[in-house]
Amino acid sequence: GILVNWTKGFKASDVEGEDVVALLKEAMRRNGEIDLDIVAILNDTVGTMMACAYENPNCEIGLIAGMNLLASFLLLF
């Protein structure tokens, strides 16, 4: 995924416009860490919902209430 622009006060030089998955894999390799198989890029709201659902399978909503109000929800077809 290409980082279009930083939000929420995050800043790191030379990252905007770059593939963040490739940058993360390179940093992990450079530091001798584990080889990651990255399968998804999530925002904080979806990550919140998934973290809750890991502990409680009945979780169906992720909510971030801060500068903005963000929500994600489980939709079954």
Side-chain angles (χ1 to χ4, degrees):
I2 305 297
L3 177 66
V4 176
N5 63 297
W6 286 108
T7 62
K8 301 183 182 181
F10 290 100
K11 283 288 179 199
S13 58
D14 302 322
V15 180
E16 290 182 351
E18 299 294 326
D19 180 347
V20 294
V21 172
L23 292 172
L24 178 59
K25 284 185 169 188
E26 172 58 22
M28 296 295 283
R29 184 200 60 75
R30 197 172 52 244
N31 289 303
E33 300 293 333
I34 60 173
D35 183 28
L36 298 175
D37 183 20
I38 300 170
V39 297
I41 300 172
L42 308 174
N43 69 9
D44 54 351
T45 310
V46 175
T48 298
M49 182 176 74
M50 291 181 70
C52 178
Y54 181 78
E55 293 289 326
N56 181 350
N58 294 319
C59 176
E60 296 182 0
I61 296 174
L63 180 68
I64 302 292
M67 293 181 69
N68 297 315
L69 179 62
L70 305 169
S72 63
F73 60 93
L74 179 63
L75 181 61
L76 299 175
F77 291 93

